[in-house]
Amino acid sequence: MPQLNGGGGDDLGANDEMISFKDEGEQEEKISENVSAERDLDDVKSSLVNESENNSSSSDSEQTERRPQTRPDSESYEKTRDYFSEALRRQQDGGIFKSPHYPSYPFLMIPDLTNPYLSNGSLSPSARTYLQMKWPLLDVPGSAGLKDSRSPTPGHLSNKVPVVQHAHHVHPLTPLITYSNEHFSPGTPPSHLSPEILDPKTGIPRTPHPSELSPYYPLSPGAVGSIAHPLGWLMPQQGQPMYSIPPGGFRHPYPALAMNASMSSLVSSRFSPHMVTPPPHSLHQTGIPHPAIVSPAIKQEPSGDNISPSMHARKSPVPPKKEEDKKPHIKKPLNAFMLYMKEMRAKVVAECTLKESAAINQILGRRWHSLSREEQAKYYELARKERQLHSQLYPGWSARDNYGKRKKRKRDNKPDSKPEDFSIRSKKQCVQYLPSEKRCDSPASSHGSMLDSPATPSAALASPAAPAATHSEQAQPLSLTTKPEGRMHHHFSLPGKASGSTSSSSSSSSTSSSSSSSSSQPTISLPIGTSGSQPTTPILTRPIPFTSLHPSMLSPPSPFHQAAFHSHHALFQSQPLSLVTKPTE
DNA sequence: CTCCCTTTGAAGTCA
DNA sequence: TGACTTCAAAGGGAG
């Protein structure tokens, strides 16, 4: 994260955080009800977080690095597997691993061991498992622990275990917390790994360049010879388990976050994630589909024939004619926000009774904006690396490839759209899951993008304060808009690279009555969402039980973010807020 | 069962 | 080049 201008350019902090909130009144009251109830929990969270943070800070990178490079053989694998299985069992039994309402850290996020990009990877909440782990416990060979009892012979992955080894030892947030070039710097190669990796195909030694690789794709296909699937670190090495893991089993939704950084960084540094051009068919040399690869069949038949031929020689040949149809679906790499969502969703969900993703996402969106630049930068960096790795894994892949894969999504109700358009779809209009006063998307949202989302993060972050665009953004009062029709996302949301012209125009028209009152208020460094000014004619066709929301949900997670907030306190100040209603069209 | 909703960001398309 | 569209995750809600 060279771009992170450490400390500098604080003025670029998320200005959207500087929302002048007004008493929410009723909702506030209701929320308060939960406050007391969760206060204790917060304390616990706090302590836990602190502890975890300490652990992560002190032991994450170092400890993991110091960790003996056990090279599990079949035997050790079995042992470790059992060990981990036991851990899992306990967790499932609600034993020591029973996680609190609030998944404090450290916890092992093992929602889905399957490919993060696997469409079927999504699990029902019940299936998602967040293991709260003790560090010692974490020190288990990854694949082993992840393996299901039904897992094929250990020997199969014996040589791959190392890859997975530390994958999940790390603090889930470690990646984000400790994410830095350090991890990727071509430092001391793993003792068990030669600095050079022999290309399985050519046998030519290659010098790894970890710095380029994303933790999410720690393993290089080229290294597959000894390593395995990039996700091997977190998922069963055998293709079978990978897709046949029962919903309740170990599955990893998002390796990167769950297994995280330290691990990812660890892996990348240890395994020299040197990337090689993946096979044309998008399968790793191991035959295991990359996480980003989703076979259409997978969705329906998770355990089926997705398995690579190499893994299952007996696998029945796919009819050539179907080749086209069965073309694996390579998912897009997750962007920074998606990564953030992946990680924080569980927390948000844990903090409230809300289950609707739409509502959760709104909260997450707010929190995203509340993140400090550095924090966001971490995610941007992660996303960047992932994209990089993704591109390396799938050189020929294009986002366009996925176009049309899904059902045609609803079209935004553009201002100019004909009235009929609305009726065409029974889509709910102007749905606001959060009180509109809590909505502050747009311009503000763009701010975050400015951080690093740009292809050249370094540029954006290197001189955060410098960019004219940034300044304009900063100048941009936070606009709180109502959602007159459909999605306004594209209307106001500035792409990361946006020049800000759009926002400027819209912001200039900040005229809503409520906005005036809000804007007039002195800037309050208040966590977003803790309260809000009443917006103009909030449209809430599908109200969310806000009573279930805890203030902390809308504000940066206190424990976790506290540190960040503390250090970046300055970031959250001085941005005048003005509420802007979207001009009627 | 399928799509919608919601969020941000990246990347694609189109004018 | 800018504006717009699509998709990525997620899961409850709705048809």
Side-chain angles (χ1 to χ4, degrees):
Chain A
M1 299 180 285
Q3 314 80 348
L4 294 179
N5 61 337
D10 285 350
D11 51 4
L12 286 182
N15 54 2
D16 44 351
E17 302 162 22
M18 317 279 47
I19 299 176
S20 300
F21 293 102
K22 291 175 68 178
D23 184 32
E24 292 186 38
E26 186 176 27
Q27 290 179 346
E28 191 84 64
E29 293 181 38
K30 291 180 179 178
I31 292 174
S32 65
E33 295 176 7
N34 292 336
V35 175
S36 59
E38 297 186 14
R39 189 159 297 154
D40 293 342
L41 180 58
D42 289 342
D43 292 341
V44 174
K45 297 175 189 175
S46 233
S47 60
L48 288 175
V49 171
N50 289 338
E51 183 179 5
S52 67
E53 287 181 346
N54 289 339
N55 287 338
S56 65
S57 63
S58 62
S59 51
D60 258 3
S61 57
E62 293 181 33
Q63 207 167 49
T64 53
E65 287 296 325
R66 293 194 204 119
R67 232 169 240 133
Q69 301 287 322
T70 60
R71 191 159 196 159
D73 52 14
S74 300
E75 182 178 347
S76 64
Y77 161 76
E78 285 294 345
K79 293 173 67 176
T80 54
R81 189 183 69 175
D82 292 343
Y83 184 44
F84 201 88
S85 296
E86 174 65 10
L88 176 60
R89 185 183 64 74
R90 293 181 185 180
Q91 187 268 344
Q92 291 174 332
D93 291 344
I96 59 173
F97 294 106
K98 182 164 187 167
S99 60
H101 310 77
Y102 183 92
S104 59
Y105 308 99
F107 64 79
L108 182 57
M109 194 172 167
I110 311 175
D112 182 0
L113 290 178
T114 60
N115 188 326
Y117 293 97
L118 207 54
S119 60
N120 70 328
S122 63
L123 298 175
S124 62
S126 59
R128 187 169 294 106
T129 301
Y130 294 93
L131 262 184
Q132 188 165 17
M133 307 291 285
K134 295 293 183 182
W135 292 119
L137 180 58
L138 293 177
D139 197 6
V140 175
S143 62
L146 297 176
K147 285 185 64 60
D148 179 296
S149 59
R150 302 176 302 146
S151 297
T153 64
H156 178 75
L157 43 96
S158 62
N159 63 334
K160 298 167 184 174
V161 172
V163 174
V164 189
Q165 198 164 348
H166 298 280
H168 32 293
H169 303 176
V170 229
H171 188 294
L173 294 178
T174 305
L176 303 176
I177 295 171
T178 63
Y179 199 93
S180 68
N181 285 343
E182 301 173 352
H183 299 291
F184 298 93
S185 64
T188 322
S191 59
H192 62 289
L193 288 180
S194 171
E196 290 183 340
I197 297 176
L198 292 180
D199 185 310
K201 293 180 178 178
T202 63
I204 299 172
R206 294 177 289 98
T207 301
H209 37 83
S211 60
E212 298 178 355
L213 297 175
S214 158
Y216 301 84
Y217 307 86
L219 300 183
S220 110
V224 172
S226 61
I227 299 176
H229 182 277
L231 290 181
W233 25 304
L234 1 131
M235 31 172 106
Q237 298 301 311
Q238 308 70 15
Q240 186 65 38
M242 185 159 144
Y243 298 99
S244 62
I245 294 174
F250 274 101
R251 296 171 69 166
H252 205 299
Y254 202 81
L257 292 179
M259 67 172 36
N260 106 52
S262 8
M263 132 185 171
S264 52
S265 63
L266 186 67
V267 172
S268 63
S269 64
R270 289 188 178 185
F271 298 97
S272 308
H274 188 82
M275 295 322 237
V276 297
T277 302
H281 53 289
S282 300
L283 289 179
H284 289 278
Q285 294 181 358
T286 58
I288 300 173
H290 181 275
I293 301 175
V294 176
S295 170
I298 292 176
K299 215 160 189 175
Q300 304 303 328
E301 295 279 348
S303 60
D305 32 32
N306 293 320
I307 308 312
S308 71
S310 64
M311 285 307 180
H312 303 275
R314 69 177 185 281
K315 176 192 173 196
S316 61
V318 176
K321 59 178 181 180
K322 287 289 182 179
E323 200 74 32
E324 199 77 37
D325 295 339
K326 296 212 171 185
K327 188 176 182 179
H329 176 69
I330 301 173
K331 293 184 180 181
K332 295 173 63 175
L334 303 188
N335 62 37
F337 179 70
M338 287 295 154
L339 294 176
Y340 173 76
M341 274 182 51
K342 275 260 190 182
E343 177 184 305
M344 299 302 295
R345 172 178 295 280
K347 289 180 64 179
V348 172
V349 170
E351 292 175 27
C352 66
T353 59
L354 274 181
K355 288 293 182 283
E356 286 189 72
S357 288
I360 298 298
N361 289 350
Q362 285 193 342
I363 295 168
L364 288 170
R366 289 184 147 272
R367 284 194 176 190
W368 172 253
H369 294 308
S370 70
L371 290 179
S372 68
R373 222 155 28 84
E374 284 81 359
E375 286 175 315
Q376 286 190 350
K378 292 172 185 174
Y379 289 93
Y380 282 119
E381 182 68 9
L382 285 173
R384 185 183 68 79
K385 288 182 180 298
E386 185 176 0
R387 286 197 307 275
Q388 195 173 31
L389 181 56
H390 191 278
S391 65
Q392 289 178 312
L393 288 175
Y394 317 105
W397 181 87
S398 168
R400 178 170 173 267
D401 296 345
N402 291 359
Y403 276 37
K405 297 275 183 176
R406 283 183 171 185
K407 288 277 168 65
K408 189 111 179 180
R409 298 190 72 183
K410 68 160 175 57
R411 290 217 167 248
D412 291 348
N413 292 320
K414 305 286 30 171
D416 54 291
S417 63
K418 302 181 186 73
E420 304 89 84
D421 292 342
F422 292 96
S423 60
I424 291 174
R425 300 186 88 91
S426 59
K427 159 192 166 186
K428 306 175 187 68
Q429 298 179 27
C430 309
V431 174
Q432 288 196 309
Y433 288 85
L434 293 179
S436 54
E437 66 270 19
K438 293 187 187 313
R439 295 185 60 82
C440 60
D441 3 334
S442 320
S445 70
S446 66
H447 172 80
S449 308
M450 299 301 291
L451 291 179
D452 176 8
S453 80
T456 58
S458 58
L461 291 175
S463 56
T470 299
H471 275 290
S472 64
E473 287 283 318
Q474 291 252 294
Q476 286 296 335
L478 181 62
S479 72
L480 185 147
T481 65
T482 58
K483 207 169 185 180
E485 48 186 74
R487 298 173 63 181
M488 45 158 282
H489 174 71
H490 293 299
H491 293 289
F492 287 24
S493 177
L494 291 177
K497 43 217 178 235
S499 61
S501 60
T502 302
S503 64
S504 62
S505 62
S506 64
S507 66
S508 62
S509 63
S510 61
T511 55
S512 80
S513 58
S514 66
S515 68
S516 61
S517 63
S518 295
S519 60
S520 63
Q521 293 182 3
T523 300
I524 300 172
S525 180
L526 189 62
I528 292 178
T530 51
S531 65
S533 59
Q534 207 58 9
T536 60
T537 320
I539 303 169
L540 192 60
T541 60
R542 192 176 168 190
I544 290 295
F546 233 79
T547 56
S548 62
L549 293 177
H550 184 284
S552 64
M553 289 167 33
L554 296 174
S555 63
S558 31
F560 172 49
H561 288 78
Q562 208 128 44
F565 270 58
H566 180 70
S567 62
H568 305 298
H569 180 59
L571 293 176
F572 305 111
Q573 301 180 12
S574 74
Q575 282 304 320
L577 169 68
S578 74
L579 300 179
V580 180
T581 55
K582 181 176 180 169
T584 57
E585 292 154 349

